[in-house]
Amino acid sequence: MSEDRADARYAEVTAQILARAPETDIDPRLDRVRTLLDLLGDPQRNFRVIHVTGTNGKTSTARMIDALMRARGLRTGRYTSPHLRTVRERIVVDGEPVSQERFVETFDDIRPYIEMADEMNDAPLSFFEILTVMAYAVFADTPVDVAVVEVGMGGRWDATNVVDGDVAVITPIGIDHTDYLPDTVEGIAEEKAGIIKPDSVAVIAQQPVAAAEVLLRNASEVGARVTREGMEFGVLGREVAVGGQQIAVKGLTASYENLFLPMFGAHQASNAAVAVAAVEAFAAAGEDAAGLDPGIVAEALAGVDSPGRLEVVRTSPTVIADAAHNPAGMIATAAAVEESFGFSRLVGVVAIMADKDVEGILDPLEPLLDEIVVTRNSSPRSLDPESLAAIAVGIFGEDRVHLAPRLDDAIDLAVGRAEDDGEFGGSGVLVTGSVVTAGDAVHLLRGAGE
């Protein structure tokens, strides 16, 4: 097949999948996914799993776990969402997104079974359900030794939750997606606790007390062992370093010193500690209880990245893309920017989804930003710039708020405003408010990536 024909076929398959119900159209049931997997011979049972949920930090933590596993010589699959630039980013084998050819082949292989499953249920499978099954099929076919699987939303009813993970990882829980999930941390924790399975190990990041109580109760009820950040494992120390931070981590079986993490913020140090504990727990479950080689841990973390998470996508002035999309995430982002970048002037470019807590996302940015440019991203769910501007004016004041209907124009305007003080080296632009906003910024400033 010619390259042009292969590209066209990939675009055709992607369009067919995207035409199905979107991942924001939540139907809390697992029967459609189970039907399709049953028709395929249950490929999800052919590999071990580390299952990751939480409100913030899931993708970064999953990427760190994946890097640690690969450094230990294991063949890995990784399934995360949403994507920044290409849908293939969601299905990763040995650290690389699946090729266009393999993506198309996998879809073509299972398409007859998708059609059968659609006929056997009262509604067709959704976009996210099909991608989840495709990931499990790819991982089984490779085959991988372990899959690191990130929950899409919630946990108990998420399409990924047809696996029985050896390790269940719960990153920090906060209020988000309240159109689809409960509006209390206790209720959200109840949903996320659904990935904790009998005889597994639950690795729990630092949590609000109410969430921790729910998680511990659920783990006890199913007979899972629990390890908690701040108790059995955690960050021993951290210092800001050029290009990231130097950290020390207490794990479940050992302590790891002098680790360079090329990512910014206390929250990423915490994610690293969770990832190390998860890999230690996985190793122990496989009767490899001696712990991890400190050199391997250092090598893996030094090479990890998490695109769209305080990612520097341009210099002079510095432009940073960040995927923070809820109040807790934006608090962490603001603290990390203040700690790690010595900006004399910082201008924000912000586009937020209409169903989010817009004021809660903007509030942490007010002390950080000199000015803000509000705009929209490429999603139809993006709040219109006029409405966003009206909310921003109430927080920042009219003189600090600018409006640009398109993201590319917003970035250009922000770059110009950032350079107004003449201190090119000390000025910056932060593009944030949504994973889609961060992805759009990376696309505009670095190219399409397809």
Side-chain angles (χ1 to χ4, degrees):
M1 185 182 294
S2 69
E3 186 174 343
D4 287 346
R5 175 58 186 147
D7 288 345
R9 179 64 184 139
Y10 170 69
E12 179 185 336
V13 166
T14 303
Q16 288 178 25
I17 299 172
L18 289 170
R20 289 176 172 260
E23 53 200 321
T24 53
D25 186 2
I26 304 300
D27 186 5
R29 51 199 277 195
L30 296 176
D31 53 315
R32 288 190 300 265
V33 172
R34 285 183 171 138
T35 298
L36 179 53
L37 289 169
D38 182 61
L39 290 170
L40 293 172
D42 287 325
Q44 79 281 7
R45 302 198 185 282
N46 292 329
F47 45 83
R48 297 175 66 192
V49 173
I50 297 179
H51 209 172
V52 184
T53 192
T55 302
N56 290 301
K58 296 191 298 295
T59 298
S60 294
T61 303
R63 293 177 73 93
M64 292 179 196
I65 293 170
D66 185 12
L68 287 161
M69 288 294 189
R70 283 185 284 116
R72 297 183 70 239
L74 296 178
R75 189 157 211 197
T76 64
R78 185 178 76 233
Y79 181 58
T80 58
S81 60
H83 59 275
L84 285 178
R85 300 164 74 183
T86 162
V87 71
R88 293 183 295 108
E89 293 170 22
R90 297 179 182 230
I91 305 174
V92 173
V93 175
D94 289 337
E96 294 295 330
V98 293
S99 65
Q100 288 191 8
E101 181 182 16
R102 191 168 190 195
F103 188 92
V104 170
E105 286 177 351
T106 302
F107 179 75
D108 285 343
D109 285 346
I110 71 172
R111 180 169 52 180
Y113 302 97
I114 293 172
E115 293 169 356
M116 292 172 61
D118 284 345
E119 292 176 0
M120 294 168 68
N121 288 283
D122 58 4
L125 284 101
S126 70
F127 160 80
F128 186 72
E129 289 170 332
I130 288 177
L131 280 181
T132 300
V133 173
M134 286 178 64
Y136 292 162
V138 167
F139 299 158
D141 183 61
T142 298
V144 301
D145 299 308
V146 57
V148 184
V149 176
E150 177 189 339
V151 163
M153 188 183 299
R156 191 175 306 278
W157 298 108
D158 186 74
T160 63
N161 198 30
V162 289
V163 293
D164 293 327
D166 295 73
V167 179
V169 176
I170 320 289
T171 67
I173 291 173
I175 304 294
D176 199 7
H177 299 300
T178 52
D179 284 359
Y180 316 105
L181 297 175
D183 59 1
T184 64
V185 292
E186 298 95 329
I188 291 175
E190 194 74 46
E191 289 297 313
K192 296 186 184 297
I195 73 163
I196 303 174
K197 302 298 172 62
D199 301 318
S200 68
V201 181
V203 178
I204 300 177
Q206 204 86 344
Q207 302 288 351
V209 172
E213 290 175 348
V214 171
L215 296 174
L216 292 172
R217 186 187 73 245
N218 276 266
S220 175
E221 288 173 353
V222 299
R225 185 166 67 87
V226 172
T227 64
R228 298 155 292 175
E229 182 183 8
M231 300 289 286
E232 288 79 15
F233 70 92
V235 178
L236 293 174
R238 51 183 295 271
E239 295 180 357
V240 175
V242 176
Q245 54 190 308
Q246 204 77 18
I247 67 173
V249 170
K250 174 193 174 188
L252 303 179
T253 58
S255 292
Y256 307 91
E257 309 283 341
N258 300 316
L259 305 174
F260 176 68
L261 183 66
M263 302 168 76
F264 303 101
H267 61 297
Q268 294 292 13
S270 176
N271 290 340
V274 170
V276 168
V279 174
E280 287 179 314
F282 180 88
E287 298 182 357
D288 182 11
L292 309 181
D293 182 317
I296 286 177
V297 173
E299 175 190 355
L301 292 183
V304 79
D305 66 354
S306 195
R309 277 73 182 174
L310 287 178
E311 180 182 1
V312 177
V313 292
R314 174 184 157 166
T315 55
S316 298
T318 299
V319 179
I320 302 167
D322 188 75
H325 57 276
N326 55 50
M330 195 60 76
I331 289 169
T333 287
V337 170
E338 189 169 11
E339 175 187 76
S340 303
F341 297 89
F343 293 125
S344 61
R345 179 175 179 78
L346 183 62
V347 179
V349 174
V350 179
I352 301 173
M353 299 302 185
D355 58 349
K356 294 291 184 176
D357 178 359
V358 177
E359 290 187 2
I361 293 171
L362 291 177
D363 277 336
L365 291 172
E366 191 281 327
L368 182 72
L369 303 179
D370 292 278
E371 299 180 62
I372 183 172
V373 182
V374 298
T375 185
R376 70 178 309 129
N377 59 42
S378 60
S379 170
R381 294 170 50 225
S382 186
L383 182 63
D384 68 87
E386 292 78 12
S387 298
L388 182 54
I391 298 171
V393 165
I395 294 170
F396 289 84
E398 191 169 353
D399 292 344
R400 294 165 64 193
V401 178
H402 310 277
L403 186 151
R406 294 175 15 156
L407 182 62
D408 54 352
D409 293 333
I411 292 173
D412 287 343
L413 175 58
V415 166
R417 302 297 301 182
E419 294 176 342
D420 274 355
D421 64 357
E423 296 187 27
F424 291 89
S427 59
V429 173
L430 174 64
V431 187
T432 189
S434 165
V435 175
V436 176
T437 305
D440 289 349
V442 171
H443 177 98
L444 287 167
L445 296 172
R446 288 195 170 167
E450 280 283 51

